[in-house]
């Protein structure tokens, strides 16, 4: 992957509009994790959603927690390098 060219393309908005929801995966027990990605304005927004349930003494309680990170510059290029599929469809010459 050409990191400098990918960063230039990201800042130029050539990857804007790419979004994807990665399949959820289960960790321990009844908790699952899912990652959503969207690209706009030269940055990658990554939302991690954790859902599950716990027993509060009387019944099962469900919960959902989400955290959002906005990645830019080298952090965004690192994310693109670890998830190249949708980016390489837009600009295959950089991968």
């Amino acid at each position: 992957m050409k990191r400098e060219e990918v960063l230039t393309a990201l800042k130029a908005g050539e990857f804007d509009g790419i979004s994807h929801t990665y399949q959820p995966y289960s960790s321990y027990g009844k908790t699952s994790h899912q990652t959503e990605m969207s690209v706009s304005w030269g940055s990658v927004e990554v939302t991690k959603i954790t859902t599950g349930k716990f027993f509060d003494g009387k019944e099962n309680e469900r919960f959902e927690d989400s955290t959002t990170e906005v990645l830019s510059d080298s952090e965004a290029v690192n994310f693109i390098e670890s998830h190249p599929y949708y980016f390489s469809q837009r600009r295959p010459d950089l991968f």
Side-chain angles (χ1 to χ4, degrees):
M1 184 176 102
K2 302 173 184 174
R3 291 180 61 89
E4 290 301 318
E5 288 88 347
V6 167
L7 181 58
T8 303
L10 180 67
K11 288 183 177 181
E14 294 180 27
F15 294 125
D16 284 3
I18 294 177
S19 62
H20 182 67
T21 301
Y22 295 96
Q23 288 291 84
Y25 65 92
S26 294
S27 58
Y28 180 73
K30 299 173 179 85
T31 304
S32 67
H33 306 277
Q34 188 166 21
T35 303
E36 295 178 353
M37 166 202 70
S38 65
V39 183
S40 64
W41 301 100
S43 62
V44 180
E45 186 176 292
V46 180
T47 304
K48 296 177 183 175
I49 303 166
T50 303
T51 57
K53 59 184 176 179
F54 64 92
F55 187 69
D56 69 354
K58 294 182 181 180
E59 60 185 323
N60 286 328
E61 292 288 328
R62 296 193 177 276
F63 68 91
E64 180 172 312
D65 184 34
S66 66
T67 57
T68 302
E69 277 185 281
V70 178
L71 307 175
S72 59
D73 298 329
S74 64
E75 292 176 330
V77 174
N78 290 340
F79 181 83
I80 292 169
E81 192 170 43
S82 64
H83 302 86
Y85 181 73
Y86 293 96
F87 298 94
S88 63
Q89 289 184 357
R90 185 75 55 95
R91 287 289 309 272
D93 56 313
L94 300 178
F95 292 87

